[in-house]
Amino acid sequence: MRYSRWVLLTVLTGAVFAESGFCESGASKPDAGKSPTDIPMLSTTVLQAEKVISQAMMDKLSNAVSSEYVIGAEDVLDITVWRNPDLSRQVQVRPDGRFSMPIIRDVVAVGKTPTKLAEEMTNRLKEYVQNPVVAVTLKEVNSSNIFLLGEVANPGKYPLKSKTTLLQGITIAGGFKETAARNQIVIFRFTDVAPGLKRFTASYDDIVLRSGIADNFELKPGDTLVVPSESMVVFPGR
């Protein structure tokens, strides 16, 4: 008889805890009407959303440029006209240095900073829009690139978003490999005078250890920086 009462008391106690939303571990039960698979699905959705937000933040940071950045051909711009979504759009600067917009038509962008371009567009829109406010944001840097080749960790093409020195350029590419002839750096640059391509040389040791600070010059759009291997320098005939 006592055993039957004990069993009945245990069953009733379990029912009370179940209705109150607690299990033996003290954790809350899933909401009524939801299947056990709803919670994993929600977690997956949250993780995917966080991933998208994180990627968007990284893209924004990767495209950040200095206030002195000068727009070039093929750059992609976000044009936002406050309270005028019909006038706001994403555009790519054409090879002729212009892009097209409603009402004001062709706009010259090359050679201007985003701030300067926004001011000029604001002034032009005043004839058609009351109190226009224009914001210009650089979405993609396609016009200003440098090329790093040879014995660097990550050779390739890199956007030139702000003033960048030779040493900074090497840092962007991950630094020297162990086999790099770091005192035989070669830079090729296009010029407006004949023959059109100029060759510079620089030494890492001279820049860092000696008074060769002038060799740490500013890189220009289109510069190709080559770090040869030590074997090429020792055996130039091969």
Side-chain angles (χ1 to χ4, degrees):
M1 184 67 175
R2 290 181 179 178
Y3 178 78
S4 299
R5 289 180 179 177
W6 180 81
V7 171
L8 178 60
L9 180 61
T10 302
V11 172
L12 291 175
T13 303
V16 171
F17 275 95
E19 291 179 0
S20 63
F22 294 90
C23 60
E24 291 180 356
S25 62
S28 299
K29 291 183 68 179
D31 295 339
K34 290 186 177 180
S35 66
T37 58
D38 286 343
I39 292 179
M41 288 176 63
L42 179 60
S43 300
T44 302
T45 302
V46 172
L47 290 174
Q48 290 176 345
E50 290 179 348
K51 184 177 180 180
V52 171
I53 294 172
S54 176
Q55 184 61 46
M57 292 177 65
M58 290 300 294
D59 290 344
K60 184 175 181 180
L61 288 174
S62 67
N63 286 309
V65 296
S66 71
S67 59
E68 299 178 351
Y69 179 83
V70 177
I71 299 169
E74 298 186 9
D75 283 345
V76 178
L77 309 174
D78 266 334
I79 310 294
T80 304
V81 183
W82 188 54
R83 291 186 176 178
N84 284 275
D86 292 340
L87 299 178
S88 302
R89 58 194 55 205
Q90 187 176 108
V91 300
Q92 184 171 32
V93 182
R94 301 193 301 262
D96 65 357
R98 304 167 182 264
F99 63 89
S100 298
M101 289 287 292
I103 302 178
I104 57 177
R105 299 185 179 180
D106 281 358
V107 180
V108 178
V110 167
K112 301 173 184 176
T113 64
T115 301
K116 180 65 175 177
L117 178 60
E119 292 176 356
E120 292 185 3
M121 292 185 65
T122 298
N123 291 330
R124 291 182 61 178
L125 281 172
K126 285 180 179 178
E127 300 180 18
Y128 311 97
V129 180
Q130 184 177 5
N131 300 322
V133 178
V134 180
V136 177
T137 305
L138 187 69
K139 183 70 175 178
E140 295 179 14
V141 177
N142 296 323
S143 62
S144 299
N145 298 293
I146 54 176
F147 303 84
L148 293 105
L149 308 175
E151 300 304 295
V152 291
N154 301 300
K157 180 177 74 171
Y158 292 89
L160 192 63
K161 303 176 183 178
S162 60
K163 290 184 178 180
T164 303
T165 65
L166 185 149
L167 293 186
Q168 290 172 337
I170 294 173
T171 302
I172 291 172
F176 295 114
K177 290 184 178 179
E178 293 182 359
T179 55
R182 62 184 189 179
N183 296 322
Q184 303 291 332
I185 303 170
V186 181
I187 302 93
F188 297 95
R189 174 177 297 174
F190 288 102
T191 63
D192 295 331
V193 296
L197 189 65
K198 192 171 183 179
R199 180 180 182 274
F200 301 88
T201 58
S203 166
Y204 177 84
D205 288 351
D206 285 347
I207 295 172
V208 176
L209 303 176
R210 306 180 185 94
S211 57
I213 192 66
D215 289 341
N216 189 29
F217 50 80
E218 180 183 343
L219 297 176
K220 301 295 183 183
D223 279 359
T224 299
L225 192 152
V226 182
V227 181
S229 65
E230 291 180 342
S231 60
M232 292 176 63
V233 176
V234 175
F235 304 104
R238 296 187 178 182

